[in-house]
Amino acid sequence: MDHTANYDKYKMSKLFTTGNSEAIRLRKKDTELLDLNPSDQFIKEISLDGRSISYNKFSKISQENKKEIANILNEDSDLIWALKDL
């Protein structure tokens, strides 16, 4: 009996082996839709019941935001040091 018969075949993926790892293939259309690149990094979350896995793409931080964060940390360094032991 085929349990997948009621599902859209484009929503299905199979686990496969590549080297010493297991992988789930993404369709090219999905990677384009999500703007994914081979260098992107993700954080994995597994549901408590072990039936689902989600991956969240790390957001890239702009140089402007990095500078602003550094300025805030520099300006408030005394407060940060005071809070570190709480």
Side-chain angles (χ1 to χ4, degrees), residues 19-36:
N20 290 331
S21 300
E22 304 292 331
I24 297 174
R25 183 175 290 120
L26 296 174
R27 294 178 37 228
K28 187 170 184 169
K29 284 185 178 184
D30 294 332
T31 61
E32 290 169 354
L33 176 70
L34 297 168
D35 191 27
L36 302 179

Side-chain angles (χ1 to χ4, degrees), residues 21-81:
S21 300
E22 304 292 331
I24 297 174
R25 183 175 290 120
L26 296 174
R27 294 178 37 228
K28 187 170 184 169
K29 284 185 178 184
D30 294 332
T31 61
E32 290 169 354
L33 176 70
L34 297 168
D35 191 27
L36 302 179
N37 299 297
S39 63
D40 290 338
Q41 294 184 340
F42 300 85
I43 183 89
K44 174 180 65 177
E45 296 178 13
I46 300 174
S47 66
L48 293 175
D49 63 5
R51 297 196 35 88
S52 65
I53 302 170
S54 63
Y55 288 89
N56 295 306
K57 183 175 158 180
F58 279 115
S59 298
K60 293 191 166 80
I61 300 173
S62 70
Q63 288 299 328
E64 181 180 323
N65 285 344
K66 287 181 184 180
K67 287 178 185 177
E68 189 171 332
I69 291 167
N71 287 338
I72 291 169
L73 293 175
N74 287 335
E75 290 172 6
D76 297 328
S77 62
D78 56 332
L79 294 174
I80 294 169
W81 279 103

